[in-house]
Amino acid sequence: MNYLFTSESVSEGHPDKVADQISDAILDEFLRKDPEAKVACETFCTSGLVIVGGEVRSEVWVDIQETARRVIEKIGYNKAEYGFDASSCGIISTIHEQSPDINQGVVRESPEEQGAGDQGMMFGYACRETAEYMPLALSLSHRLLRLLADIRRETPQPMSYLRPDAKAQFTIEYNEKRQPLRIHTIVLSTQHDEFASEAEMHAKIEADVREIVLPRLIASLPEQTAALFDGTFKLLVNPTGKFVIGGPAGDTGLTGRKIIVDTYGGKGAHGGGAFSGKDPSKVDRSAAYAARYLAKNLVAAGIADECLVQLAYAIGVAEPVSVFVDTYGTSKLQGVSDGEIARRIHGAFDLRPAAIIKQFGLKSPIFEPTATYGHMGQEPYVKDGLQFFGWEKTDAVQKIRDLFAQ
């Protein structure tokens, strides 16, 4: 029997994402000056106010106010009428020094034996639904909101009333073989200026979404994915009718409240730990990237069509306490169990925190771009000599094929 599955994404102007971006920008500023900095930084934002808190161990100083205002301005909160404005909002910093009890478990005489910054389990997931090995509903939600942000910044502006806050949601119909059949429902809520009566505003925005946004989205997709938009889908635009008050003025934002948007849109699993504002000694972040790297390379290597990898750690201990693999019955290996896949992967890849950090260059200021449109599934690139989204590379495909050669 066919079934439906839904994922959502939020824009860079969503209050929780404002908070994530500020936290990661502050982390980047510390790492830019001190690659050994230990940072756990969280941000709270509301109407006219940003509060930054957390713990840091570093010998350098970062201008928290300047960093936060730069991020807010870049997002597009630059008018007093938005209720949250880069130039006038209050910014309070309550960052304090990292606990020495945590530090002694992380910093070791031998850097290779650096312990995990906390206990916990982290998951990575990959599937064949998209070219980037990500779940389709989440990928489309991210793509739609990126496109909307691009339109908001265009000159001349085809939708000049757009404001930064937005949310998108895709529901996809699948067959019994877990193959996508069609787009079932699209929900888009976008913040906007007040420019007419409520009914007129709603009609104008919905018409622009149908005539400007969706055609651009469909044109940007591979032919097979574009064909899923068969004209029968439901489109719900600003279902309440009006979305003028938004962003931190409409709802408070907090770092780490969009962990499902950040990862796999509800597919696979999640260990519960947020990413943004955390330096890579925190395995909530670095090991989640490593788990995604393993899952993606396993699928890209043809080992399975779908794969979940779990890594688990104890605070202060370098080696993971467990490695788990689930291929959901899609493994292509004859006579090789998922448990055996996990055993071989654990033996072939160095999953100690220091090795993960070194492989992906995680002591570099590369994290602010991860705070919008997902930490997973983005295209890896090099800029100014730094590798961004290195965990998205598929450079372990041949190693994995050799490991499971039959």
Side-chain angles (χ1 to χ4, degrees):
M1 184 174 178
N2 294 354
Y3 66 93
L4 304 177
F5 189 84
T6 301
S7 293
E8 72 155 354
S9 182
V10 299
S11 73
E12 60 213 59
H14 186 282
D16 291 332
K17 279 290 140 195
V18 174
D20 283 345
Q21 289 168 87
I22 292 172
S23 293
D24 269 338
I26 291 169
L27 169 62
D28 278 354
E29 288 304 311
F30 273 105
L31 293 177
R32 187 170 284 112
K33 298 177 179 181
D34 176 11
E36 301 302 323
K38 300 295 181 285
V39 180
C41 171
E42 297 185 3
T43 302
F44 167 88
C45 53
T46 187
S47 183
L49 179 65
V50 172
I51 300 175
V52 179
E55 56 178 21
V56 172
R57 179 175 289 264
S58 179
E59 300 300 319
V60 304
W61 176 81
V62 167
D63 189 332
I64 302 297
Q65 284 223 10
E66 189 280 331
T67 302
R69 293 190 196 281
R70 175 186 62 78
V71 170
I72 296 165
E73 172 71 28
K74 184 187 73 171
I75 293 168
Y77 287 113
N78 50 19
K79 297 179 181 178
E81 64 202 69
Y82 293 168
F84 186 74
D85 173 24
S87 62
S88 63
C89 67
I91 298 176
I92 299 171
S93 174
T94 61
I95 290 176
H96 59 84
E97 187 175 8
Q98 184 188 58
S99 162
D101 296 343
I102 295 175
N103 187 260
Q104 71 179 2
V106 174
V107 178
R108 295 292 172 81
E109 191 171 321
S110 172
E112 293 76 17
E113 294 305 317
Q114 169 186 325
D118 201 354
Q119 71 177 46
M121 65 283 191
M122 300 83 211
F123 289 92
Y125 174 82
C127 63
R128 292 194 175 278
E129 288 186 8
T130 65
E132 61 270 23
Y133 300 97
M134 288 290 287
L136 181 59
L138 180 65
S139 180
L140 289 172
S141 298
H142 285 328
R143 188 182 287 254
L144 177 58
L145 291 178
R146 276 187 184 274
L147 176 59
L148 199 68
D150 290 343
I151 290 172
R152 177 166 57 89
R153 294 186 170 101
E154 279 183 11
T155 303
Q157 294 179 318
M159 300 170 68
S160 59
Y161 50 79
L162 290 175
R163 291 185 177 184
D165 194 0
K167 300 178 76 171
Q169 182 173 286
F170 275 77
T171 300
I172 297 174
E173 182 177 347
Y174 289 82
N175 64 19
E176 293 179 344
K177 297 180 179 179
R178 299 166 68 97
Q179 297 167 329
L181 296 176
R182 68 184 184 97
I183 306 303
H184 181 276
T185 303
I186 303 169
V187 183
L188 177 63
S189 295
T190 180
Q191 186 189 15
H192 57 89
D193 293 342
E194 189 147 20
F195 57 87
S197 71
E198 183 171 323
E200 289 172 325
M201 287 190 296
H202 187 268
K204 169 63 173 171
I205 296 168
E206 181 172 335
D208 285 350
V209 169
R210 287 188 181 278
E211 296 167 13
I212 298 172
V213 181
L214 289 184
R216 291 196 193 185
L217 173 67
I218 294 168
S220 74
L221 297 170
E223 184 178 349
Q224 185 175 0
T225 305
L228 299 176
F229 292 78
D230 62 2
T232 65
F233 60 83
K234 301 175 188 176
L235 176 64
L236 302 174
V237 177
N238 287 3
T240 64
K242 182 179 179 181
F243 187 8
V244 173
I245 301 171
D251 190 11
T252 57
L254 187 65
T255 300
R257 278 205 303 210
K258 286 293 175 283
I259 58 176
I260 301 304
V261 171
D262 285 343
T263 51
Y264 308 104
K267 284 287 185 80
H270 199 295
F275 302 154
S276 290
K278 296 178 180 178
D279 78 83
S281 71
K282 281 75 172 173
V283 285
D284 276 345
R285 180 168 219 158
S286 53
Y289 293 164
R292 161 64 177 172
Y293 176 76
L294 293 174
K296 183 175 182 178
N297 277 271
L298 281 163
V299 174
I303 302 303
D305 291 334
E306 189 177 7
C307 185
L308 181 74
V309 174
Q310 183 204 59
L311 306 177
Y313 292 83
I315 188 168
V317 179
E319 283 287 345
V321 298
S322 69
V323 178
F324 168 82
V325 171
D326 186 355
T327 63
Y328 303 93
T330 68
S331 173
K332 310 301 181 185
L333 301 174
Q334 297 295 321
V336 180
S337 68
D338 287 354
E340 176 62 14
I341 294 174
R343 188 191 68 79
R344 294 191 198 180
I345 288 295
H346 192 179
F349 290 86
D350 192 342
L351 298 173
R352 294 176 296 173
I356 295 169
I357 291 167
K358 181 179 180 181
Q359 179 177 358
F360 301 130
L362 300 182
K363 290 185 179 180
S364 302
I366 60 171
F367 295 107
E368 188 178 344
T370 68
T372 50
Y373 310 115
H375 293 245
M376 317 303 178
Q378 299 208 41
E379 187 70 23
Y381 63 92
V382 175
K383 182 179 179 181
D384 299 328
L386 300 178
Q387 175 69 64
F388 291 78
F389 298 99
W391 50 94
E392 290 296 320
K393 296 170 74 173
T394 52
D395 53 4
V397 164
Q398 191 56 53
K399 178 178 179 178
I400 288 173
R401 286 174 177 164
D402 293 344
L403 189 63
F404 295 100
Q406 293 183 308

